[in-house]
Amino acid sequence: MSGSLQVSGAHPSQQSGADERLDVAAGILALLADRTRLALLQRLSEGEADVTTLTEAAGAARPSVSQHLGKLRLAGLVSARKDGRRVVYALRHGHLRRLVNEALNVADHQISGLPPHD
């Protein structure tokens, strides 16, 4: 994959733009539907972080965190850069930061029993 989420088995000429848009959005939401990946994205919404910091934030084993980061990077949701011997990750889109924050806000409302609002 070249930096963006790909829909397997679908050829661009076989789908309308609206269908492709829905498929890509569903793929992004599927990636967010994992607790570890959501924790990683929540931490990255605060700013860049290395694998050690992200492992602590996610409360998961380092190999698991590395695999999840790989999926997020291949989907084009996070970027990685070398800083000496460390690899530093960052969100690639402000939209993703807002999406993660809004999902967590909805969770807060459900947990606390607050009414929904616009």
Side-chain angles (χ1 to χ4, degrees):
M1 288 191 215
S2 61
S4 64
L5 193 65
Q6 300 294 318
V7 180
S8 63
H11 191 274
S13 64
Q14 295 172 337
Q15 290 187 309
S16 72
D19 286 345
E20 183 178 11
R21 184 178 187 214
L22 289 172
D23 287 344
V24 171
I28 291 167
L29 291 172
L31 283 169
L32 295 179
D34 178 272
R35 186 191 184 288
T36 300
R37 286 193 290 270
L38 190 56
L40 294 172
L41 294 171
Q42 178 186 22
R43 173 53 188 86
L44 289 173
S45 73
E46 299 169 8
E48 294 182 330
D50 63 8
V51 176
T52 301
T53 302
L54 292 168
T55 299
E56 292 170 5
R62 189 179 185 102
S64 174
V65 168
S66 292
Q67 287 179 353
H68 286 295
L69 287 168
K71 288 179 183 182
L72 293 169
R73 189 178 49 75
L74 287 173
L77 302 182
V78 301
S79 61
R81 66 175 176 81
K82 286 278 199 175
D83 182 21
R85 292 177 36 164
R86 299 179 324 141
V87 178
V88 178
Y89 291 87
L91 292 182
R92 293 201 54 206
H93 304 281
H95 294 293
L96 185 56
R97 177 181 304 105
R98 290 185 294 277
L99 180 60
V100 168
N101 287 336
E102 287 301 322
L104 294 170
N105 287 337
V106 170
D108 289 342
H109 276 261
Q110 288 187 350
I111 291 167
S112 67
L114 290 172
H117 60 83
D118 287 336

